[in-house]
Amino acid sequence: MALPFSGRKDGLSLSEALPDRSLFILVAMMSFLAALTLTGATGARALSARWAGGAAQLLTIQVSAPDQPTPATATSPQKTAAGSSSAQTRADSVLARLSDLPPGTQVHRLSKEELAHLLTPWLGDASNSALPLPAVIEVRLPKGAEPPADLEQTLNAQVPGTFVEHNAEWSTRLRALADSLLACAALALATVGGIAAMITGLATRTGLSTRRDIIEILHGLGATDSYIAGRFAGRTGGLALGGAILGTLLAIAPLVFLFRMAAPFAVSSLQTTSMTMPDWRSLPDMLPHDLLIGLAGLPFVAAFIGWMTTQIMVRIWLRRMP
């Protein structure tokens, strides 16, 4: 004789016992917040890796009045092979002094076009500007190399008015900020997961209370704890999966917008980024791959949280049942 709970319809009427609409919407909202938090964590980690991997090795040197001769060459100009005098400019003196840096160091003096491009956001078209612009020299040290501690003092002794900006100082601060953001993101994700578990637990408890009499009858007829818990867990897990998919899809549009806004900070200063609306077919190339993997796994994590929470709640409730 087949038991009433052995077929496809178990008599629990879970579609009526569990608050489907409210649980679905709440999980969708939690997944939306989790997707945004995951994006923030990914951006903070990428920023920290970028500065630790390359930008921290960059020095920026500014030389005022770069085309004027240095005091030494102004008083005793050098003789070229043709016999004509040639005074060494301030910028050339700094470049010559930078040749003593560790092997593998890349030194690049920005051209007038590059300087004009950098000043465009503030001065507009500065290519024909009459403003006296300093020479800007970018120095990229080899990985693991440290600049001399007295580099600025040495350059100023030879070329007064030279300013050296160490990006390593900003790198340390940015990495500390990125680590703090990662910790906050992890805490936020844990909080969202905890709230989702609490919501699922409350929904499950409501369903158990609503179907208490039926569960007692089925339990008395031989229904095991695993069977009853599995029915409830399958229902809540399916609702959590659907709500998480909806919340993740709703988060994609603001995520694309945020990544396009942050794109100029992820490229070099001489590159430009198009601000046209994205083509959805190019979405995999627009978002980081690790973020896409995280977003794809988010619904399954939500479903697992719902399924596991329901399993635990139902089994505890059944053991306490007289």
Side-chain angles (χ1 to χ4, degrees), residues 32 66 72 85 131 142 195 214 224-226 236 314 317:
F32 182 84
S85 61
L131 294 175
I195 294 175
I214 298 177
T224 62
D225 293 356
S226 298
T236 54
V314 173
W317 188 87

Side-chain angles (χ1 to χ4, degrees), residues 285-310:
D285 299 328
M286 192 174 303
L287 299 179
H289 290 171
D290 53 350
L291 176 60
L292 290 176
I293 294 174
L295 293 177
L298 189 59
F300 298 100
V301 174
F304 176 77
I305 291 176
W307 183 87
M308 181 59 67
T309 302
T310 304

Side-chain angles (χ1 to χ4, degrees), residues 207-217 317 320-322:
L208 290 171
S209 300
T210 304
R211 291 294 179 266
R212 181 183 181 90
D213 295 338
I214 298 177
I215 293 174
E216 289 180 350
I217 294 174
W317 188 87
R320 294 178 178 178
M321 188 178 64

Side-chain angles (χ1 to χ4, degrees), residues 61-73 78 80 85-100 107-110 134-137 155 158-160 162:
I61 302 176
Q62 297 182 18
V63 184
S64 59
D67 296 328
Q68 293 184 4
T70 56
T73 58
Q78 300 176 353
T80 63
S85 61
S86 175
Q88 191 176 37
T89 64
R90 290 165 52 88
D92 292 336
S93 298
V94 172
L95 290 172
R97 185 65 182 86
L98 294 177
S99 61
D100 298 333
V107 180
H108 170 65
R109 178 182 176 181
L110 271 64
V136 178
I137 303 173
L155 293 178
Q158 184 175 358
V159 182
T162 302

Side-chain angles (χ1 to χ4, degrees), residues 3-17 211 213-215 218 227 231:
L3 294 175
F5 52 83
S6 61
R8 189 175 178 85
K9 295 183 179 179
D10 57 5
L12 293 177
S13 301
L14 294 182
S15 60
E16 300 177 4
R211 291 294 179 266
D213 295 338
I214 298 177
I215 293 174
L218 294 176
Y227 172 81
R231 290 291 181 173

Side-chain angles (χ1 to χ4, degrees), residues 25-281:
I25 294 176
L26 289 173
V27 172
M29 294 171 62
M30 293 294 101
S31 301
F32 182 84
L33 294 177
L36 295 181
T37 304
L38 188 63
T39 303
T42 303
R45 185 174 59 83
L47 177 64
S48 177
R50 178 175 180 268
W51 277 85
Q57 305 301 121
L58 184 66
L59 300 177
T60 303
I61 302 176
Q62 297 182 18
V63 184
S64 59
D67 296 328
Q68 293 184 4
T70 56
T73 58
T75 56
S76 58
Q78 300 176 353
K79 294 289 184 178
T80 63
S84 60
S85 61
S86 175
Q88 191 176 37
T89 64
R90 290 165 52 88
D92 292 336
S93 298
V94 172
L95 290 172
R97 185 65 182 86
L98 294 177
S99 61
D100 298 333
L101 292 176
T105 302
Q106 300 178 7
V107 180
H108 170 65
R109 178 182 176 181
L110 271 64
S111 64
K112 293 183 178 180
E113 291 76 14
E114 292 172 335
L115 283 175
H117 181 80
L118 292 177
L119 295 175
T120 298
W122 293 272
L123 301 179
D125 186 6
S127 57
N128 297 322
S129 176
L131 294 175
L133 299 179
V136 178
I137 303 173
E138 291 183 349
V139 179
R140 186 171 297 276
L141 298 169
K143 187 176 181 180
E146 293 289 339
D150 59 345
L151 178 61
E152 186 170 2
Q153 291 79 1
T154 302
L155 293 178
N156 268 293
Q158 184 175 358
V159 182
T162 302
F163 175 75
V164 179
E165 182 179 0
H166 295 267
N167 287 353
E169 299 177 0
W170 288 101
S171 174
T172 302
R173 299 176 185 177
L174 284 176
R175 276 185 287 180
L177 176 61
D179 293 340
S180 301
L181 291 176
L182 284 174
C184 292
L187 180 61
L189 286 174
T191 303
V192 170
I195 294 175
M198 291 178 60
I199 292 173
T200 304
L202 292 174
T204 302
R205 188 171 183 178
T206 301
L208 290 171
S209 300
T210 304
R211 291 294 179 266
R212 181 183 181 90
D213 295 338
I214 298 177
I215 293 174
E216 289 180 350
I217 294 174
L218 294 176
H219 200 265
L221 292 174
T224 62
D225 293 356
S226 298
Y227 172 81
I228 298 175
R231 290 291 181 173
F232 272 91
R235 181 68 178 175
T236 54
L239 291 173
L241 179 63
I245 291 175
L246 176 61
T248 303
L249 291 177
L250 291 177
I252 289 180
L255 293 187
V256 172
F257 176 76
L258 290 175
F259 268 92
R260 292 187 67 82
M261 291 291 293
F265 300 97
V267 297
S268 64
S269 59
L270 301 179
Q271 291 176 323
T272 57
T273 301
S274 174
M275 297 304 293
T276 57
M277 291 302 293
D279 184 359
W280 296 109
R281 293 174 295 181

